[in-house]
Amino acid sequence: MNFWDYLAARHQQLLADAYQHASAVFQCMVLATLIGIVIGIFAYRSEWAGNLATTATSTILTIPSLAMIGLLIPIVGLGVAPTVIALTLYGLLPIVRNAIVGLRGVDPALIDAATGIGMSRTARLFKVELPLAWPPILTGIRVSTQMLMGIAAIAAFASGPGLGNEIFRGIASLGSANALNQVLAGTLGIIILALLFDAAYVLIGRLTIPRGIRA
């Protein structure tokens, strides 16, 4: 069976795996974004706190994804839970780092002006600082998403959802007629999803970033 025949015969399963893969990455990115921005807000005013936040989140990335999921299985079991925890942790570094850089890069004159018109610290944060820091934060989200698309494939090791199952089935059946087709279908599916997500982020950037502060 050639590759196109394989896609035609397995398209329903591949679409289901692709949906699960995209859903898992999307949900984990929402969690990583919320957690990462909160960490950035608490850390950006202090040099040592910022260094601690970036060091801690970068240390997580040094743990091999297979080892991370393997360590989580005895704690939370197989399936969705280890996938969500691992992907969320891996997605933090670019968001935390860019949130800190973005918030520190806001022009102090604008903050002083906001203070001068009576804005509270919370109001300055949400109405001035975060909107101006949004472009680098969005860049961090894009980088994290691209990373998680590939890492999510490893979730199949823990019976997690997504296109990694297709890749693992192909690897497990090397030498069979469809082994290469399975690995190729899973890999191409992940690449296509990554491109679609990135295109969506470009659109979000155009809709949410004023033209005057676009990079």
Side-chain angles (χ1 to χ4, degrees):
M1 183 183 294
N2 64 41
F3 180 64
W4 302 112
D5 289 337
Y6 177 81
L7 290 183
R10 297 272 299 173
H11 70 278
Q12 290 185 332
Q13 182 61 52
L14 289 170
L15 288 174
D17 286 341
Y19 172 79
Q20 291 177 350
H21 199 100
S23 178
V25 171
F26 174 76
Q27 292 176 60
C28 293
M29 280 308 307
V30 170
L31 286 173
T33 298
L34 293 175
I35 296 170
I37 291 176
V38 169
I39 293 173
I41 289 171
F42 281 104
Y44 82 102
R45 294 180 185 274
S46 167
E47 189 70 30
W48 74 266
N51 290 337
L52 177 63
T54 52
T55 300
T57 51
S58 62
T59 300
I60 293 171
L61 278 182
T62 66
I63 304 173
S65 52
L66 198 60
M68 170 77 82
I69 292 174
L71 291 170
L72 288 171
I73 289 174
I75 301 171
V76 297
L78 296 169
V80 174
T83 301
V84 170
I85 294 171
L87 293 185
T88 301
L89 291 174
Y90 281 125
L92 287 176
L93 174 60
I95 300 170
V96 169
R97 182 178 57 202
N98 283 31
I100 292 172
V101 169
L103 288 167
R104 286 178 176 173
V106 175
D107 189 343
L110 295 175
I111 299 174
D112 291 339
T115 303
I117 62 172
M119 279 191 181
S120 66
R121 181 171 175 177
T122 302
R124 291 198 308 269
L125 176 65
F126 286 98
K127 293 183 178 180
V128 178
E129 295 176 86
L130 279 175
L132 291 174
W134 175 239
I137 292 173
L138 182 60
T139 298
I141 294 171
R142 290 177 66 181
V143 171
S144 287
T145 302
Q146 299 304 304
M147 289 194 312
L148 296 196
M149 277 295 171
I151 295 172
I154 307 298
F157 174 75
S159 300
L163 290 163
N165 290 295
E166 193 73 13
I167 296 172
F168 271 75
R169 281 194 293 266
I171 293 173
S173 61
L174 285 177
S176 67
N178 283 322
L180 181 59
N181 289 334
Q182 289 174 312
V183 174
L184 186 59
T187 303
L188 288 178
I190 291 171
I191 292 171
I192 291 170
L193 286 179
L195 293 174
L196 290 174
F197 267 71
D198 202 57
Y201 287 133
V202 171
L203 178 60
I204 290 171
R206 290 189 176 277
L207 293 174
T208 59
I209 301 173
R211 184 172 297 181
I213 62 172
R214 287 180 195 166

